[in-house]
């Protein structure tokens, strides 16, 4: 589904953020990407739907080459859902309109159909009664659930999560993770940047560990938690699992 | 465009008998600068006093400052100049009014004072904001050291506040220069006024206005450069001012 | 002295002052603000487009306009617009466009420079995640601007835009230099005709002051309301 091969990215000639990154996510697979901050994991996931440009290598999503200038990026992005660290709901639009905007403007869906779809998804994330509110009136956890629903409204073939819980207060993390776990169990193809190792243990097929722009480890979940091969991954795991 | 360009016009004698048309424009430029500098001194002095008053704990001082700023901000500059020029001499006691009317260079003095007071309200607002942006602890620290209110302002608050508002003050100074052009309405033959009279005498509209435009741009460039140097000169190491 | 202050001259000229003068002033203000906002937003988008040349041209335009006194710009357009009209229509002589059209073009072009700076600040104040989220949903650049970025920038900047419009309202009095009967021009005409400068100019000052004061009070209330919502 997602093929990343030999991707290099520089911010300036002196600073390389991604070094020869190669990996893939198969259909129905859940891949968790972790690593210390500044390791390039968020940058990598943003390259998948071309929010960040990269200089070398190729990324294909469902057979479409992301870095081909001829690719219709809006069309591609409409098929890949993304959830951001800071939710990025549109603060000037009601919850329901946040869910309908892209359905109507990008997919060309009728208003009634969009609303029906939106309400169905809001119900699914448990926020149906908040449809007429504005984003700022919701808690962080609720906003992130809305953001997931907004991405799902586009009927995506895959979902990208960029640290979806790291801006949340601790008591709100589980409500978001629950939605994500359900999604994974339904067979959604997911690429998730997160430090939530509990989530990884529960539903991930593979875990990727990144450090300083490189993919250091790319292993099935059980191998990764059982016996990570690299020092850096071991150190990282001991730091975040020690509490 | 069927317009007869004649760039040589600048070197032909002007009908006032004061040299060439270029001399005419340059005398206008000189008057623009004289008026602007005098107006700016008035604006800085009164504006600083009023700006400080707006930050004092005294209710009376605050309300005076508030009324002052509102008075000068809510009337067009042109109307203010008319008030000073046409109305003030009539409503003063007869002797004083007569003295005002017979004042030589009345347009110059009216323009300087009128533009100066108009701009002083803006300076006051900037300074109030500058003082307001300082940490509260600064004023308390000054008081705790035993400085009087006057000393606190003189040695602690104002030196910092003026540095902070230097960039906006630069644009207010540029506005002062531009605003002197309004005095064309009370017969001040500053740069715009001289360009206009050149146009009326010679019918070379666009040459006259082009020359005036270039002169204004030059003045702008000189002022901006000068203020940059001043900013660098007064900058405090390790402290990022303005912007 | 104010002893022989003649209220009657004001009363008699009220219909002329307001039906003719103030209507001109307010129409000019409203249309210039609208045109300036549209044109200014376009300039701001050019500056932020990422195309170097386009951005530089827009930047030069803004710097140029902001370096010149409005009075000079009014003269420029007053004399230039007929020639531009001739050039556009291919007429054989410069075409006269009338006082209102000439002032309107002047103020739209002039204010666009100022409005563009406000809109630019408004667009830049929006976190980069917002356009990223819109792109991730598949919205095109135009759709992202139209539905996500510009509505927020406009809303955040509304108080500043309105304050600038109050400044514009006061600045329209400068069409006086073209002897156009806007509100001040009308007052001035009566003042000269009847020899009642004191009354007419004081009254004009009072009217400008009252309108600007009420308007800026309204803006301040709006500002505090927006501040609470955020």
């Amino acid at each position: 589904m997602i093929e990343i091969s030999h991707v290099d990215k520089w911010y300036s000639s002196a600073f390389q953020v991604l070094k020869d990154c190669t990996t893939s996510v198969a259909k129905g697979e859940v891949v968790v990407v972790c690593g210390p901050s500044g390791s390039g994991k968020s940058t990598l996931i943003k390259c998948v739907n071309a929010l960040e440009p990269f200089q070398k290598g190729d990324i294909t999503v469902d057979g479409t080459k992301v870095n081909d200038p001829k690719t219709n990026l809006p069309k591609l992005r409409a098929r890949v859902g993304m959830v951001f660290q800071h939710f990025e709901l549109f603060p000037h639009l009601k919850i329901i309109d946040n869910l309908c905007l892209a359905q109507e403007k990008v997919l060309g869906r009728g208003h009634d159909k969009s609303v029906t779809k939106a309400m169905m998804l809001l119900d699914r994330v448990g926020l149906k009664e908040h449809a007429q509110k504005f984003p700022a009136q919701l808690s962080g956890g609720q906003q992130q659930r809305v953001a997931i629903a907004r991405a799902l409204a586009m009927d995506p073939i895959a979902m990208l999560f960029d640290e979806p819980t790291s801006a949340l207060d601790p008591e709100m993390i589980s409500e978001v993770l629950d939605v994500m776990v359900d999604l994974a169990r339904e067979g959604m193809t997911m690429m998730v940047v997160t430090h939530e190792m509990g989530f990884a243990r529960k539903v991930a097929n593979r875990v990727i560990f990144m450090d300083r722009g490189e993919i250091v480890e790319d292993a099935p979940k059980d191998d990764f938690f059982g016996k990570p091969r690299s020092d850096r991954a071991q150190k990282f795991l001991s730091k975040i699992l020690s509490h | 465009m069927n317009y007869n360009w004649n760039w040589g016009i600048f070197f032909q004698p002007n009908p006032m008998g004061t040299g060439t048309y270029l001399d005419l424009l340059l005398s206008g430029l000189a008057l623009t600068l004289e008026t602007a500098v005098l107006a700016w001194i008035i604006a800085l002095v009164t504006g600083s006093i009023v700006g400080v008053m707006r930050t004092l704990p005294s209710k009376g001082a605050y309300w005076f400052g508030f009324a002052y700023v509102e008075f000068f901000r809510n009337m067009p500059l042109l109307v203010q100049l008319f008030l000073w020029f046409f109305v003030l001499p009539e409503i003063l006691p007869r002797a004083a009014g007569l003295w005002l009317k017979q004042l030589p260079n009345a347009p110059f003095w009216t323009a300087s004072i009128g533009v100066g007071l108009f701009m002083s309200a803006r300076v006051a607002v900037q300074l109030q904001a500058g003082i307001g942006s300082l940490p509260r602890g600064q004023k308390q620290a000054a008081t705790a050291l035993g400085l009087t209110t006057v000393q606190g302002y003189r040695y602690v608050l104002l030196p910092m506040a003026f540095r902070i508002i230097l960039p906006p003050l630069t644009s207010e100074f540029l506005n002062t220069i531009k605003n002197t052009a309004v005095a064309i309405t009370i017969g001040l033959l500053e740069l715009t006024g001289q360009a206009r009279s050149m146009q009326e005498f010679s019918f070379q509209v666009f040459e006259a206005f082009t020359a005036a435009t270039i002169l204004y741009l030059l003045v702008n460039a000189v002022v901006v450069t000068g203020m940059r140097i001043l900013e660098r000169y007064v900058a405090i190491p390790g402290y990022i001012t303005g912007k | 002295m104010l002893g022989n202050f003649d209220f009657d001259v004001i009363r008699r000229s009220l219909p002329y002052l307001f039906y003719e003068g103030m209507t001109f002033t307010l129409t000019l203000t409203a249309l210039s603000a609208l045109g300036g906002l549209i044109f200014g937003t376009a300039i701001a988008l050019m500056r932020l487009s990422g195309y170097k040349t386009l951005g530089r041209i827009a930047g030069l335009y803004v710097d140029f306009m902001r370096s010149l006194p409005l009075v000079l710009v009014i003269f420029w357009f007053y004399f230039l617009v007929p020639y531009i009209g001739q050039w556009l229509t291919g007429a054989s002589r410069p075409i006269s466009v009338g006082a209102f059209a000439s002032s309107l073009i002047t103020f739209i072009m002039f204010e666009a420079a100022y409005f563009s700076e406000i809109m630019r600040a408004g667009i830049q104040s929006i976190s980069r995640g917002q356009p990223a989220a819109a792109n991730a949903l598949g919205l095109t650049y135009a759709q992202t601007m139209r539905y996500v970025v510009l509505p927020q920038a406009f809303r955040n900047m509304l108080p500043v835009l309105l304050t600038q419009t109050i400044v514009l309202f006061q600045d329209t009095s400068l069409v006086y230099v073209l002897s156009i009967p806007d509100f001040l021009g009308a007052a001035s005409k009566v003042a000269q005709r009847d020899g009642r400068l004191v009354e007419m100019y004081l009254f004009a000052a009072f009217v400008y002051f009252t309108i600007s004061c009420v308007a800026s009070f309204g803006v301040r209330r709006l500002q505090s309301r927006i501040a609470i919502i955020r």
Side-chain angles (χ1 to χ4, degrees), chain B residues 36-69:
Chain B
V37 168
L38 183 54
W40 185 237
I41 293 170
I42 295 171
L44 268 186
V45 174
T46 42
S48 301
I49 296 170
V50 175
V52 167
M53 286 177 83
R54 281 174 60 127
T55 64
L56 290 175
S58 148
K59 268 243 152 76
Y62 174 82
W63 281 109
F64 175 82
F66 178 80
Y68 182 95
V69 168

Coordinates of all heavy atoms in Angstrom, one line a residue, chain B residues 36-69:
Chain B
A36 N 8.5 68.8 9.1 CA 8.4 67.5 9.7 C 9.3 67.4 10.9 O 8.8 66.8 11.9 CB 8.8 66.4 8.7
V37 N 10.4 67.9 10.9 CA 11.3 67.8 12.1 C 10.7 68.6 13.3 O 10.7 68.0 14.4 CB 12.7 68.4 11.7 CG1 13.6 68.5 13.0 CG2 13.4 67.4 10.8
L38 N 10.3 69.8 13.0 CA 9.6 70.5 14.1 C 8.4 69.8 14.6 O 8.2 69.6 15.9 CB 9.2 71.9 13.7 CG 8.6 72.9 14.7 CD1 9.6 72.9 16.0 CD2 8.4 74.3 14.2
A39 N 7.6 69.3 13.7 CA 6.4 68.5 14.1 C 6.8 67.3 14.9 O 6.1 66.9 15.9 CB 5.6 68.1 12.9
W40 N 7.8 66.6 14.5 CA 8.3 65.4 15.2 C 8.7 65.7 16.6 O 8.5 64.9 17.5 CB 9.3 64.7 14.4 CG 9.8 63.4 14.9 CD1 11.0 63.0 15.2 CD2 8.9 62.2 15.1 NE1 11.0 61.7 15.7 CE2 9.7 61.2 15.6 CE3 7.5 62.0 15.0 CZ2 9.2 60.0 16.0 CZ3 7.0 60.8 15.4 CH2 7.9 59.8 15.9
I41 N 9.5 66.8 16.8 CA 9.9 67.2 18.1 C 8.7 67.4 19.0 O 8.6 66.9 20.1 CB 10.8 68.4 18.1 CG1 12.1 68.1 17.3 CG2 11.1 69.0 19.5 CD1 12.9 69.3 17.0
I42 N 7.7 68.1 18.5 CA 6.5 68.4 19.3 C 5.8 67.0 19.6 O 5.4 66.8 20.7 CB 5.5 69.3 18.5 CG1 6.2 70.7 18.3 CG2 4.2 69.4 19.2 CD1 5.4 71.6 17.4
A43 N 5.7 66.2 18.6 CA 5.0 64.9 18.7 C 5.7 64.1 19.8 O 5.1 63.4 20.7 CB 5.0 64.2 17.4
L44 N 7.0 64.0 19.8 CA 7.8 63.2 20.7 C 7.6 63.7 22.1 O 7.4 62.9 23.0 CB 9.3 63.2 20.3 CG 9.8 62.1 19.4 CD1 11.3 62.1 19.3 CD2 9.3 60.7 19.9
V45 N 7.8 65.0 22.3 CA 7.7 65.6 23.6 C 6.3 65.4 24.2 O 6.1 64.8 25.3 CB 8.1 67.1 23.6 CG1 7.9 67.7 25.0 CG2 9.6 67.2 23.2
T46 N 5.3 66.0 23.6 CA 3.9 65.9 24.1 C 3.5 64.4 24.1 O 2.8 64.0 25.1 CB 2.9 66.7 23.3 OG1 3.2 66.5 21.9 CG2 3.1 68.2 23.7
G47 N 3.8 63.7 23.1 CA 3.4 62.3 23.0 C 3.9 61.5 24.2 O 3.3 60.6 24.8
S48 N 5.2 61.7 24.5 CA 5.8 61.0 25.7 C 5.1 61.3 27.0 O 4.8 60.5 27.8 CB 7.3 61.3 25.8 OG 7.9 61.0 24.6
I49 N 4.9 62.6 27.2 CA 4.2 63.0 28.4 C 2.8 62.3 28.5 O 2.5 61.7 29.5 CB 4.0 64.6 28.5 CG1 5.4 65.2 28.5 CG2 3.2 65.0 29.7 CD1 5.4 66.7 28.3
V50 N 2.1 62.4 27.4 CA 0.7 61.9 27.5 C 0.8 60.3 27.6 O 0.0 59.7 28.3 CB -0.1 62.3 26.2 CG1 -1.4 61.6 26.2 CG2 -0.3 63.8 26.2
G51 N 1.8 59.7 26.9 CA 1.9 58.3 27.0 C 2.2 57.8 28.4 O 1.7 56.8 28.9
V52 N 3.1 58.5 29.0 CA 3.4 58.2 30.4 C 2.2 58.4 31.3 O 1.9 57.5 32.2 CB 4.6 59.1 30.9 CG1 4.7 58.9 32.4 CG2 5.9 58.6 30.3
M53 N 1.5 59.5 31.1 CA 0.3 59.7 31.9 C -0.7 58.5 31.8 O -1.3 58.2 32.8 CB -0.4 61.0 31.5 CG 0.3 62.2 31.9 SD -0.5 63.7 31.3 CE -1.7 63.9 32.5
R54 N -0.8 57.9 30.7 CA -1.7 56.8 30.5 C -1.3 55.6 31.3 O -2.1 54.6 31.4 CB -1.9 56.5 29.0 CG -2.9 57.5 28.4 CD -2.9 57.3 26.9 NE -3.4 56.0 26.5 CZ -4.5 55.8 25.7 NH1 -5.1 56.8 25.2 NH2 -4.8 54.6 25.4
T55 N 0.0 55.6 31.7 CA 0.4 54.4 32.5 C 0.5 54.6 34.0 O 0.8 53.7 34.7 CB 1.8 53.9 32.0 OG1 2.7 54.9 32.3 CG2 1.8 53.7 30.5
L56 N 0.2 55.9 34.4 CA 0.3 56.2 35.8 C -0.9 55.6 36.6 O -2.0 55.4 36.0 CB 0.3 57.7 36.0 CG 1.6 58.4 35.5 CD1 1.5 59.9 35.7 CD2 2.8 57.9 36.3
P57 N -0.7 55.3 37.9 CA -1.8 54.8 38.6 C -2.9 55.8 38.9 O -4.1 55.4 39.1 CB -1.2 54.4 40.0 CG 0.2 55.1 40.0 CD 0.6 55.3 38.6
S58 N -2.6 57.1 38.7 CA -3.6 58.1 38.9 C -4.8 58.0 37.9 O -4.5 58.0 36.7 CB -3.0 59.5 38.9 OG -3.9 60.4 38.4
K59 N -6.0 58.0 38.4 CA -7.2 57.9 37.5 C -7.3 59.2 36.7 O -7.5 59.1 35.5 CB -8.4 57.8 38.3 CG -8.9 56.3 38.6 CD -10.2 56.1 37.9 CE -10.4 54.6 37.5 NZ -10.7 53.7 38.7
G60 N -7.0 60.3 37.3 CA -7.1 61.6 36.6 C -6.2 61.7 35.4 O -6.5 62.0 34.3
A61 N -4.9 61.3 35.7 CA -3.9 61.3 34.6 C -4.3 60.4 33.5 O -4.2 60.7 32.3 CB -2.5 60.9 35.2
Y62 N -4.8 59.2 33.8 CA -5.2 58.2 32.8 C -6.3 58.8 31.9 O -6.2 58.7 30.7 CB -5.7 56.9 33.5 CG -6.2 56.0 32.4 CD1 -5.4 55.1 31.7 CD2 -7.6 55.9 32.2 CE1 -5.9 54.3 30.8 CE2 -8.1 55.1 31.2 CZ -7.2 54.3 30.5 OH -7.7 53.4 29.5
W63 N -7.3 59.4 32.6 CA -8.4 59.9 31.8 C -8.0 61.1 30.9 O -8.5 61.3 29.8 CB -9.6 60.3 32.7 CG -10.4 59.0 33.1 CD1 -10.4 58.4 34.3 CD2 -11.1 58.2 32.2 NE1 -11.1 57.3 34.2 CE2 -11.6 57.1 33.0 CE3 -11.5 58.3 30.9 CZ2 -12.4 56.1 32.4 CZ3 -12.3 57.2 30.3 CH2 -12.7 56.2 31.1
F64 N -7.1 61.9 31.5 CA -6.6 63.0 30.6 C -6.0 62.5 29.4 O -6.2 62.9 28.3 CB -5.7 63.9 31.4 CG -5.1 65.0 30.5 CD1 -5.8 66.2 30.3 CD2 -3.8 64.8 29.9 CE1 -5.2 67.1 29.4 CE2 -3.3 65.8 29.1 CZ -4.0 66.9 28.9
G65 N -5.1 61.5 29.6 CA -4.4 60.9 28.5 C -5.3 60.3 27.5 O -5.2 60.4 26.3
F66 N -6.3 59.6 28.0 CA -7.3 59.0 27.2 C -8.1 60.0 26.3 O -8.1 59.9 25.1 CB -8.3 58.2 28.1 CG -9.4 57.5 27.3 CD1 -9.2 56.3 26.7 CD2 -10.7 58.1 27.2 CE1 -10.3 55.7 26.0 CE2 -11.7 57.5 26.5 CZ -11.5 56.3 25.9
A67 N -8.5 61.1 27.0 CA -9.3 62.1 26.2 C -8.4 62.8 25.2 O -8.8 63.0 24.1 CB -9.8 63.1 27.2
Y68 N -7.1 63.0 25.6 CA -6.2 63.7 24.6 C -6.1 62.8 23.4 O -6.2 63.3 22.2 CB -4.9 63.8 25.3 CG -3.8 64.5 24.5 CD1 -3.6 65.9 24.6 CD2 -3.0 63.8 23.6 CE1 -2.6 66.5 23.9 CE2 -2.0 64.4 22.9 CZ -1.8 65.8 23.0 OH -0.9 66.4 22.3
V69 N -5.8 61.5 23.6 CA -5.6 60.7 22.4 C -6.8 60.6 21.6 O -6.8 60.7 20.3 CB -5.1 59.3 22.9 CG1 -5.2 58.3 21.7 CG2 -3.7 59.3 23.4

